[in-house]
Amino acid sequence: MKKNILRLSLFLFLVAVSSCKKELEGFNKNPNAAENPQPDYLLTAAEKTAADAYWGADNNFNSSLLIVQQWAKIQYTDPDRYIFSNSSFVSLWNTGYSQVLTNLNAIIRLPEEKSNSNYKNVAVILRSWIFQQLTDVYGDIPYKQAGDIEQYVTPEYDTQKEVYEGLLSELKAAVTALESTGKSISGDVIYNGNIDEWKKFGNALRLRIAFRIADREPDLAKTEIADALGGGIGVIGSNAETAQLIYGDAPQQNPASAWFDTRDDYRISKTIVDKLYALNDPRLPVYASKPTDLSVANYVGVPNGLTTSDASNLGLAKTSKPGAYFLAPHAPAVIFSYSEALFYQAEAVARGFISGDAAGLYNQAITASLNQYGITDATVVGQYLAQTDVAYNAANYKKSIGDQKWIALFGNGLESFAEWRRLDYPELTPGPAAVLEGKIPVRFIYPGTEQSLNGDNYKKAVASQGADLPTTKLWFDVN
């Protein structure tokens, strides 16, 4: 890992030096691109940049984690009250399109002598993950024309339905084309070049996207799910196969760790603290820290949606930060966990898409989440699963899976946000000072630059999808 991060730093330095020596040759030439890009450097850069965006402030703990009420703000509370501007949600868009997709497309377009097919298919899988994030939160997005600035300076938007269906096709082709006995790849800081694990991750993404469309296109979803789970390779099958980037020492530490090194404006949400207490959940001391005021014996969450003054009055020392596990420098950015894969399989059985034991898979998913955080004592796990409020309810599988998946996805704001909208659980209530008339945001609004730089296509997307507001439901969000 350290070697690959050093590789990234060297790559960025060489790019900077190269750009200083050359004159601008064309307005559409990418000034950040290396003259002779190498696939291993490009892959490291894409993975690290994507993980930082996925796990960092703008897209995670200053937006989606607040919306799903896993984290809360104790200072500067406007985002927790849903006070947004058209610059509030630019990070995922700009990072995804301008940086990560640029590097991945560069790998895909390299000639065979520089980039073997395994590099290219890994890049396709990563690119699909980026597009999935973008459409999950914005809805209609540039997809087919994205990433080719020489031909499409103002790319058209594709509908969310078209994006999801296109990604399912791309992922299936990439997984099939990956060669376990083919040429090796380097620069991979997620799976260290293990092609079989990339195949499983690609199939896991197919599961995730298939469930995004399940309420709209159940027949296609059923076909994709059965195909992803079959064929010998399957999906992520243990905690050891979780797709994640494990961070290094400063300055390459986890984004939350870097944030809390200099700032102190987030706490764990009262909503999830109360839920974990109610279930006697052994993950509570992992997810939350005790207040630094020693007179406070319990974990104390902060209600979401307070004014800055009301939040501050609760006291920095008397409220709980997120747990030390999540604020450690080496804490991973989890992209797709084993627990998530099992929850999808339980839901597939519940919907009649595949045969199996939904309750058993559900219990395995919870167990995998507990194990992920070092909770392995069989008695503790068994007692937790035996509780009435934890036990699988076949009559309302969305509630059982939705509540427990929300707990298991703690810290992963974008995925929690998507699954909360899709499953409609847990049932959340806006904070007392929230400004959207009793509603919780269900999407990110487009960056303001789209209105000014790609105005015609932006207007077409809004006309098709609905008003560019945080309360406009996306295509996949049926109920």
Side-chain angles (χ1 to χ4, degrees):
M1 175 66 192
K2 291 181 178 179
K3 180 179 179 181
N4 284 326
I5 296 300
L6 289 173
R7 180 193 295 269
L8 170 61
S9 301
L10 176 60
F11 169 69
L12 296 176
F13 172 75
L14 292 174
V15 169
V17 171
S18 176
S19 64
C20 291
K21 291 182 178 180
K22 296 187 178 292
E23 296 180 356
L24 184 65
E25 295 179 357
F27 288 114
N28 288 335
K29 185 173 181 179
N30 182 0
N32 296 316
E35 289 298 318
N36 295 293
Q38 299 296 317
D40 49 349
Y41 292 121
L42 291 169
L43 183 59
T44 304
E47 291 177 344
K48 174 64 164 54
T49 304
D52 287 351
Y54 195 55
W55 216 250
D58 291 341
N59 309 308
N60 197 32
F61 47 89
N62 202 43
S63 56
S64 53
L65 279 179
L66 303 178
I67 293 170
V68 298
Q69 298 182 15
Q70 293 182 3
W71 287 29
K73 295 223 63 174
I74 191 136
Q75 301 187 75
Y76 320 113
T77 62
D78 278 3
D80 212 0
R81 299 173 57 206
Y82 318 141
I83 298 175
F84 306 124
S85 70
N86 61 11
S87 63
S88 296
F89 298 115
V90 301
S91 175
L92 185 63
W93 189 280
N94 289 348
T95 302
Y97 281 113
S98 301
Q99 298 181 52
V100 183
L101 291 178
T102 296
N103 282 338
L104 296 175
N105 284 334
I107 294 172
I108 294 166
R109 293 169 183 158
L110 285 172
E112 288 295 330
E113 62 268 20
K114 295 191 70 173
S115 178
N116 66 59
S117 62
N118 277 344
Y119 272 118
K120 295 183 179 185
N121 286 298
V122 164
V124 169
I125 290 171
L126 282 169
R127 187 177 65 178
S128 298
W129 172 52
I130 300 302
F131 277 126
Q132 171 242 306
Q133 293 174 59
L134 290 165
T135 193
D136 280 351
V137 293
Y138 296 107
D140 296 357
I141 58 168
Y143 169 55
K144 296 181 183 125
Q145 295 184 359
D148 188 355
I149 194 171
E150 292 184 3
Q151 187 171 358
Y152 304 111
V153 178
T154 54
E156 294 179 356
Y157 287 56
D158 297 279
T159 67
Q160 186 169 71
K161 176 180 182 292
E162 291 170 333
V163 176
Y164 284 142
E165 289 179 351
L167 296 179
L168 287 170
S169 178
E170 286 193 54
L171 283 166
K172 182 176 182 178
V175 169
T176 300
L178 281 171
E179 299 177 343
S180 302
T181 58
K183 292 183 178 178
S184 63
I185 65 172
S186 58
D188 172 20
V189 292
I190 295 176
Y191 280 130
N192 197 29
N194 187 316
I195 298 302
D196 282 339
E197 291 187 350
W198 275 104
K199 282 176 169 280
K200 292 180 181 181
F201 174 45
N203 278 335
L205 286 175
R206 291 175 67 194
L207 270 190
R208 182 186 280 175
I209 295 168
F211 275 105
R212 294 288 196 271
I213 69 171
D215 289 330
R216 290 287 190 183
E217 298 186 49
D219 290 342
L220 177 58
K222 180 178 180 179
T223 298
E224 288 289 334
I225 290 163
D227 192 67
L229 292 171
I233 285 292
V235 299
I236 292 167
S238 69
N239 280 324
E241 293 178 350
T242 288
Q244 62 185 0
L245 187 148
I246 300 174
Y247 285 93
D249 296 329
Q252 303 292 350
Q253 77 263 49
N254 179 284
S257 171
W259 187 276
F260 274 85
D261 278 351
T262 58
R263 299 187 58 165
D264 189 22
D265 44 343
Y266 294 94
R267 291 294 183 268
I268 188 171
S269 169
K270 182 178 187 296
T271 304
I272 198 164
V273 168
D274 288 353
K275 183 68 170 179
L276 296 175
Y277 263 127
L279 297 177
N280 194 28
D281 196 304
R283 287 167 290 195
L284 178 56
V286 180
Y287 288 5
S289 300
K290 286 285 184 69
T292 56
D293 186 331
L294 298 181
S295 68
V296 182
N298 295 325
Y299 298 95
V300 180
V302 169
N304 290 91
L306 300 180
T307 64
T308 295
S309 59
D310 285 345
S312 297
N313 286 339
L314 296 175
L316 293 173
K318 294 181 180 294
T319 51
S320 293
K321 296 179 184 179
Y325 174 94
F326 290 90
L327 304 185
H330 295 186
V334 177
I335 299 167
F336 205 120
S337 69
Y338 176 42
S339 175
E340 183 184 351
L342 286 166
F343 276 122
Y344 282 130
Q345 292 172 70
E347 185 177 350
V349 175
R351 286 177 177 263
F353 289 170
I354 62 173
S355 61
D357 177 7
L361 288 162
Y362 167 84
N363 285 341
Q364 288 178 49
I366 297 172
T367 302
S369 175
L370 295 170
N371 293 170
Q372 179 181 346
Y373 297 109
I375 302 163
T376 58
D377 186 287
T379 300
V380 172
V381 173
Q383 289 174 343
Y384 183 74
L385 295 174
Q387 296 180 93
T388 301
D389 289 339
V390 174
Y392 178 73
N393 179 4
N396 192 354
Y397 71 85
K398 283 192 172 184
K399 183 180 190 309
S400 292
I401 293 173
D403 284 352
Q404 281 295 327
K405 198 174 212 180
W406 174 70
I407 295 172
L409 286 170
F410 180 81
N412 186 338
L414 288 172
E415 191 55 33
S416 297
F417 184 35
E419 287 298 277
W420 167 71
R421 287 174 289 160
R422 188 180 68 83
L423 292 167
D424 300 307
Y425 288 99
E427 296 177 312
L428 303 176
T429 303
V435 299
L436 294 182
E437 299 179 346
K439 296 180 180 179
I440 297 176
V442 290
R443 67 180 290 268
F444 286 7
I445 57 177
Y446 291 117
T449 50
E450 281 299 288
Q451 298 178 47
S452 57
L453 300 179
N454 195 13
D456 288 344
N457 290 315
Y458 164 83
K459 290 175 184 176
K460 291 177 184 176
V462 171
S464 169
Q465 178 170 271
D468 188 14
L469 298 171
T471 52
T472 297
K473 282 197 171 187
L474 301 182
W475 174 80
F476 84 90
D477 186 4
V478 174
N479 299 320

